[in-house]
Amino acid sequence: KVPVPLMNASSDFSCLNGDLSRNSITLEQWQMHETIQDGAPAIAAVMILFLLVAFTSNAFILVSMLWQGLLHQPAHILLFNLAITDLLVSITIMPFTITSGITREFVFGESDYVRCKVCQTGMIFTVLSSVSLHTLALLSLDRFLFIFLPFHYKKLVTAKRVAVMLLAVWVLCIVLSVPPLFGFGEIKFATSVGNCFVSFFGETHLTKNIYYILLILLEALIPVIVLIVTNVWLLCLMRRHFAHVLRARKSLTAAEKAERRKSIREKV
């Protein structure tokens, strides 16, 4: 096999450049960061363990739910979608990180051009992570409505509406994740992680910055706010409930004591 020519890194290296080499590699752009190269194999070993656990557990959940026919309940549909996204992460994202950790380099391709094309699969991570976050937010909102509106829950939350919302989430996350493939930001190899992710550092164009703000707002900030608000509200409700139960027990204990004193007096 003919060895692949190596090139020295340049400060303006970018996968967005139209003159990427098709027969050589700018090695420093594809190597793990030197501060973590020694520990990269150990990180890869831990990632292998995570991959096995994530794959087997989520596959088991999917098979169990399909086998038992649990997909007619809204909450089960959300859990099914969450298991799918986690399973896809273990299949499509973790292998790249593990391989980079073992070899200390992004080795998928024999030239800068090919590696940049493969690196564009980093968009998948953006899609799956945002879908997973939105699904968690919908699960939290589902439990919130179930507790606060118990008599209207079945009318408000139906399997069909949940399926439509999940479809909208997938479409939204895919649409928001595609622009980096066309120059709105850049998907590049993260040397400290060992995988490809979207980067917006150094962007000064107004349109690109607006897109970046929308991406953070719609894919991260809104679902995180929903998670925080619903869970804090539920915690406050649980606290009030436990306080009410405690007061009820105290009053019941006081009533029991009074009843016992009364029975003792009657006996005397």
Side-chain angles (χ1 to χ4, degrees):
K1 183 179 179 179
V2 179
V4 178
L6 304 180
M7 298 176 60
N8 293 326
S10 60
S11 58
D12 60 347
F13 178 90
S14 172
C15 284
L16 297 177
N17 292 339
D19 56 349
L20 288 170
S21 175
R22 295 174 182 261
N23 53 19
S24 62
I25 294 173
T26 309
L27 188 60
E28 293 183 15
Q29 297 293 335
W30 303 105
Q31 284 184 325
M32 297 284 288
H33 197 279
E34 58 183 9
T35 57
I36 63 170
Q37 281 192 9
D38 293 337
I43 297 175
V46 175
M47 290 294 295
I48 291 174
L49 179 61
F50 284 165
L51 186 151
L52 293 174
V53 172
F55 180 83
T56 54
S57 60
N58 286 290
F60 176 77
I61 291 172
L62 293 175
V63 172
S64 298
M65 296 184 74
L66 288 173
W67 183 266
Q68 298 179 19
L70 300 177
L71 296 182
H72 59 280
Q73 294 292 335
H76 292 159
I77 296 175
L78 293 171
L79 289 172
F80 188 82
N81 186 74
L82 185 62
I84 288 178
T85 56
D86 291 344
L87 182 66
L88 289 176
V89 167
S90 67
I91 296 174
T92 61
I93 305 300
M94 289 186 178
F96 287 96
T97 305
I98 292 170
T99 305
S100 299
I102 294 173
T103 62
R104 299 180 175 87
E105 180 187 349
F106 190 81
V107 296
F108 302 95
E110 297 185 351
S111 68
D112 285 337
Y113 177 81
V114 176
R115 291 191 178 188
C116 282
K117 290 297 183 182
V118 177
C119 198
Q120 290 180 350
T121 56
M123 182 197 75
I124 298 175
F125 175 78
T126 306
V127 173
L128 295 178
S129 59
S130 56
V131 169
S132 181
L133 185 59
H134 279 80
T135 305
L136 287 172
L138 289 175
L139 272 168
S140 183
L141 184 61
D142 175 77
R143 294 300 87 191
F144 176 83
L145 294 175
F146 180 79
I147 293 174
F148 278 86
L149 300 172
F151 300 107
H152 303 282
Y153 173 79
K154 290 186 177 181
K155 292 183 179 179
L156 292 175
V157 184
T158 63
K160 184 177 179 179
R161 289 178 180 176
V162 169
V164 171
M165 290 184 67
L166 286 177
L167 178 61
V169 165
W170 276 97
V171 172
L172 173 67
C173 293
I174 291 174
V175 170
L176 290 176
S177 301
V178 166
L181 299 178
F182 302 96
F184 285 80
E186 180 183 0
I187 301 176
K188 60 172 60 177
F189 179 67
T191 58
S192 60
V193 180
N195 213 326
C196 296
F197 299 102
V198 178
S199 174
F200 294 92
F201 292 107
E203 294 290 352
T204 57
H205 196 279
L206 178 61
T207 305
K208 294 181 180 180
N209 287 330
I210 292 175
Y211 161 71
Y212 180 45
I213 294 172
L214 287 175
L215 182 69
I216 296 298
L217 179 65
L218 296 177
E219 287 199 348
L221 190 58
I222 290 179
V224 168
I225 291 175
V226 171
L227 280 168
I228 293 174
V229 171
T230 53
N231 282 282
V232 169
W233 209 320
L234 288 174
L235 286 174
C236 292
L237 177 65
M238 291 174 62
R239 184 178 179 181
R240 290 197 300 268
H241 175 72
F242 286 131
H244 176 73
V245 171
L246 184 61
R247 288 195 299 269
R249 286 183 178 179
K250 288 182 178 179
S251 62
L252 182 61
T253 303
E256 288 178 348
K257 289 181 178 180
E259 187 67 25
R260 287 177 183 176
R261 293 195 195 98
K262 182 178 180 181
S263 62
I264 292 172
R265 289 192 191 120
E266 290 177 352
K267 290 179 180 180
V268 173

